[in-house]
Amino acid sequence: MHKNSLPLLLLAIFLTYNTYDLVAQKKPKNGTKVENSDYLRVSPKLVVGIVVDQMRYDYLTRFWTHFEDDGFKRLVNDGFNCKNNHFNYAPTSTGPGHTSVYTGTTPATHGIIGNNWYDKETDQEVYCASDDTYNSVGTTTDAGKMSPHRMIVTTVTDQLRLHTQMRGKTIAIALKDRGAVLPGGHTANAAYWFYGMGEGNWITSSFYMENLPKWVNDFNASNTAENYKKPWTTLKDINTYLESGLDNNKYEGLFTGQTAPTFPHDLPSLWNSNGKFDIIKATPYGNSITADFAIAALDGEDLGSDPITDFLAVSFSSTDYVGHKYGVNSKEIQDTYVRLDRDLARLFKALDKKVGENEYTLFLTADHAAINVPAYLKDQKIPAGYMETGNLMKKLKEFLKYKYGTTDLIKNISNYQLFLDHDVINNLDMELGDVQEEIAKELLNYKGIDRVYTAKQMWQNEYKEGIPSILQNGYNQKRSGDILMVLKPGTISYPVTGSTHGSPQIYDTHVPLLFYGKGIRKGSTTVRTEIPDIAPTISALLGIAFPNGTTGNPISKVLQ
Ligand SMILES: [Zn+2]
């Protein structure tokens, strides 16, 4: 036998079996002809991806009794609930979050390492979605100069476009530009976001188009945004909101010009001192106008009207603004979710009507969760606190001066990462790894810091579990910093009012993941699932190629 014949023989056997398999699949069942593709994939007319900005998993359970049957409960009762779903990387913030949901991987692979970060190549701070090579469309400001160019892999939305020869449409919508631009991927037909201030319009970038379509101009001209310039009162009697803290407490922030963080929040009188239309973003009305616009997009973009699958990516951003201002235990957060439940129900009803009740597949998740206000936790005797970065820098500079004779070693601190000046280290003839380790050891002495890892450790080890693995999934060799800091559980670097996020701790990683609709089983699981599993699950359902950086796995229990 020729030495090269064996592989050929194996290939022949493989091909033979494969052919046999396909023939077997084509055999009609019970005399009826079954399309071969039915064995391989489900083809909803529309996939709807919903990301709720800063939604913790326990909002589902905490506010459950206040939800109606046709909002969140419809997804939980008739869909699949992954109760133990987590971000598996840090930093847990909006840009990386949306990117990871749609790319099926983490910042180590997709490159979106923060909302903003220090770019080592250009020696400047960059924003995850900004792109000066494009123009704003729909505003004279720079708010439209965006593109997904910093995301270096494809999204599930890209793969659907490629699979359908660009016939399936992708439309992405969010108040925040990054909440629309990143989910839309590189091939979106359109991404739209909201510009507040004195304008109050949905806008886009010349990356997608040169002019807004008529339906968007009509929507902008319709005064829908103007109509939300009204007092924010609670949807239900505030005395029935037993699942949140007192309305007036010291853990909440204020709008400019307010004296107490209490209902009603009078938008008309606060309007001019709080960025005019921008104030809508920090109220549930920001979610309502997002739902209004998404519903208008179903008709405007003619989504889900033929058998070629389209994709609508919607992100509700106001939940994050409200959480940052009032904290996760506030009456304001409770009312925001009670109202979001109503906005979701409106969106689902519109989908039923426009696309058809069992003709779409939907998932709902978040881009990160959030911590309870540490000042409140402290008052309940739970270990928590605040770290002052100003103090940290002062102490660190004293150390560097003493140890190396210069404070020029540090280029930047962002997203709990320290970037060193490699040129200065080279010029001083020092080993980068040694400097990283010395500074890491120093930082570990500081109050509020719990763990420290160096880039050298990230390069040399493969962490399988726990905090180091979460950091490693967020560590991008080309873009991330030299030293990675983790604060003590319960400690944040933030003002003493409101909640924030960004850490690898479980309060920032645990978020809802609900699937619903065509091809989805009813059920739930407490087995751990992770954010990068979403894109391959949807890809497997659709029978399309996975996004090209995928590291997650399809959640097989979810699929019929
Ligand atoms: Zn946030």
Side-chain angles (χ1 to χ4, degrees):
M1 194 187 258
H2 191 271
K3 66 175 179 180
N4 283 335
S5 303
L6 186 61
L8 275 176
L9 181 67
L10 288 174
L11 181 68
I13 291 168
F14 174 75
L15 282 175
T16 311
Y17 275 107
N18 215 24
T19 310
Y20 177 80
D21 201 37
L22 283 173
V23 170
Q25 278 190 3
K26 274 180 185 162
K27 225 168 66 179
K29 264 185 192 170
N30 305 329
T32 53
K33 192 172 173 285
V34 177
E35 287 294 325
N36 186 44
S37 63
D38 289 357
Y39 287 95
L40 302 175
R41 61 192 172 89
V42 175
S43 304
K45 289 180 175 172
L46 182 68
V47 178
V48 184
I50 297 175
V51 175
V52 181
D53 206 313
Q54 204 188 108
M55 183 170 181
R56 289 164 56 108
Y57 176 77
D58 64 354
Y59 288 159
L60 272 183
T61 53
R62 231 172 96 205
F63 306 139
W64 182 257
T65 54
H66 291 273
F67 296 148
E68 307 286 338
D69 289 336
D70 51 355
F72 283 113
K73 279 185 176 172
R74 177 173 172 185
L75 305 185
V76 172
N77 292 335
D78 297 333
F80 198 95
N81 181 6
C82 299
K83 297 177 175 178
N84 186 19
N85 181 61
H86 293 268
F87 282 85
N88 61 341
Y89 65 84
T92 38
S93 54
T94 294
H98 283 80
T99 309
S100 301
V101 168
Y102 282 86
T103 60
T105 188
T106 67
T109 304
H110 62 58
I112 303 297
I113 61 165
N115 288 336
N116 299 278
W117 66 88
Y118 164 73
D119 181 36
K120 292 189 271 196
E121 275 174 47
T122 56
D123 191 22
Q124 60 186 7
E125 285 253 4
V126 294
Y127 172 62
C128 60
S130 70
D131 191 341
D132 281 342
T133 63
Y134 291 97
N135 297 315
S136 298
V137 177
T139 175
T140 50
T141 68
D142 285 346
K145 293 177 148 221
M146 303 288 160
S147 91
H149 73 108
R150 289 196 172 86
M151 176 171 68
I152 61 171
V153 297
T154 63
T155 56
V156 61
T157 42
D158 285 326
Q159 295 302 337
L160 182 61
R161 294 272 291 149
L162 290 169
H163 189 90
T164 60
Q165 305 305 314
M166 302 291 161
R167 290 187 196 111
K169 242 181 164 181
T170 297
I171 301 295
I173 289 166
L175 289 184
K176 292 183 183 177
D177 49 49
R178 59 187 178 278
V181 169
L182 299 165
H186 306 278
T187 57
N189 299 76
Y192 302 108
W193 52 97
F194 186 76
Y195 182 70
M197 300 306 284
E199 299 180 12
N201 286 330
W202 291 88
I203 63 165
T204 189
S205 159
S206 63
F207 176 77
Y208 305 99
M209 62 190 81
E210 290 304 323
N211 296 293
L212 289 173
K214 183 177 179 299
W215 77 268
V216 177
N217 282 325
D218 288 349
F219 188 95
N220 286 337
S222 70
N223 265 346
T224 310
E226 190 79 39
N227 290 339
Y228 288 113
K229 185 180 175 180
K230 59 182 181 184
W232 172 16
T233 53
T234 53
L235 186 69
K236 297 182 172 183
D237 179 356
I238 196 166
N239 296 312
T240 67
Y241 287 179
L242 303 175
E243 297 77 15
S244 44
L246 295 173
D247 189 24
N248 194 3
N249 68 66
K250 59 181 177 174
Y251 315 114
E252 301 183 357
L254 299 168
F255 284 116
T256 305
Q258 252 184 338
T259 49
T262 52
F263 283 100
H265 299 281
D266 188 38
L267 269 55
S269 69
L270 297 167
W271 195 258
N272 287 334
S273 50
N274 291 275
K276 298 182 179 171
F277 283 100
D278 266 6
I279 197 173
I280 290 178
K281 296 181 188 174
T283 75
Y285 301 149
N287 291 331
S288 298
I289 198 174
T290 304
D292 298 338
F293 190 71
I295 290 166
L298 294 178
D299 273 327
E301 300 286 351
D302 202 23
L303 295 172
S305 61
D306 62 35
I308 302 166
T309 308
D310 297 323
F311 208 120
L312 173 64
V314 186
S315 178
F316 290 98
S317 312
S318 289
T319 36
D320 183 67
Y321 293 110
V322 175
H324 277 293
K325 187 174 275 300
Y326 300 102
V328 310
N329 203 45
S330 60
K331 290 272 185 272
E332 281 80 0
I333 265 291
Q334 177 156 8
D335 191 61
T336 297
Y337 279 89
V338 171
R339 285 175 177 275
L340 176 59
D341 185 59
R342 303 293 75 230
D343 286 324
L344 288 173
R346 277 199 300 131
L347 176 60
F348 301 161
K349 203 172 281 172
L351 288 165
D352 293 344
K353 196 168 156 232
K354 165 78 185 161
V355 187
E357 228 170 285
N358 197 35
E359 299 292 344
Y360 60 94
T361 306
L362 185 148
F363 69 83
L364 182 148
T365 187
D367 57 346
H368 53 75
I371 189 174
N372 212 326
V373 181
Y376 167 75
L377 293 175
K378 259 174 90 169
D379 288 348
Q380 313 309 314
K381 302 180 185 167
I382 290 170
Y386 296 88
M387 198 192 69
E388 291 236 11
T389 26
N391 284 347
L392 178 138
M393 273 310 283
K394 194 167 158 263
K395 272 177 89 172
L396 187 59
K397 280 189 170 166
E398 280 166 17
F399 166 78
L400 294 172
K401 187 94 194 152
Y402 167 78
K403 176 91 184 171
Y404 300 108
T406 174
T407 58
D408 292 346
L409 288 176
I410 296 175
K411 269 274 185 194
N412 179 275
I413 299 186
S414 49
N415 303 307
Y416 301 108
Q417 294 177 17
L418 215 125
F419 292 77
L420 299 177
D421 191 324
H422 295 191
D423 292 337
V424 170
I425 290 168
N426 279 336
N427 290 342
L428 291 172
D429 228 12
M430 296 184 293
E431 273 292 327
L432 177 62
D434 294 344
V435 179
Q436 286 173 351
E437 196 175 324
E438 287 298 330
I439 296 176
K441 280 180 184 161
E442 170 68 12
L443 286 167
L444 197 55
N445 297 323
Y446 297 177
K447 195 173 161 252
I449 292 190
D450 193 45
R451 307 166 189 231
V452 191
Y453 295 88
T454 64
K456 190 177 176 183
Q457 285 179 298
M458 292 292 141
W459 281 54
Q460 292 187 339
N461 298 292
E462 199 177 330
Y463 297 107
K464 296 285 182 204
E465 57 187 21
I467 300 267
S469 135
I470 293 175
L471 294 181
Q472 192 158 45
N473 288 335
Y475 177 80
N476 185 287
Q477 284 194 329
K478 284 178 85 86
R479 294 185 178 176
S480 296
D482 291 280
I483 295 156
L484 292 76
M485 296 172 273
V486 181
L487 305 190
K488 276 186 188 153
T491 298
I492 58 175
S493 173
Y494 197 70
V496 293
T497 57
S499 287
T500 194
H501 50 87
S503 84
Q505 311 288 358
I506 208 151
Y507 43 74
D508 282 344
T509 68
H510 191 192
V511 294
L513 175 57
L514 304 168
F515 291 92
Y516 173 86
K518 192 164 188 179
I520 302 298
R521 267 192 201 153
K522 269 190 201 186
S524 67
T525 182
T526 50
V527 173
R528 184 180 167 101
T529 57
E530 293 177 336
I531 286 293
D533 298 337
I534 299 170
T537 302
I538 294 296
S539 302
L541 178 130
L542 297 174
I544 64 173
F546 292 8
N548 67 7
T550 301
T551 49
N553 291 297
I555 309 163
S556 52
K557 275 186 195 165
V558 165
L559 303 175
Q560 278 173 357

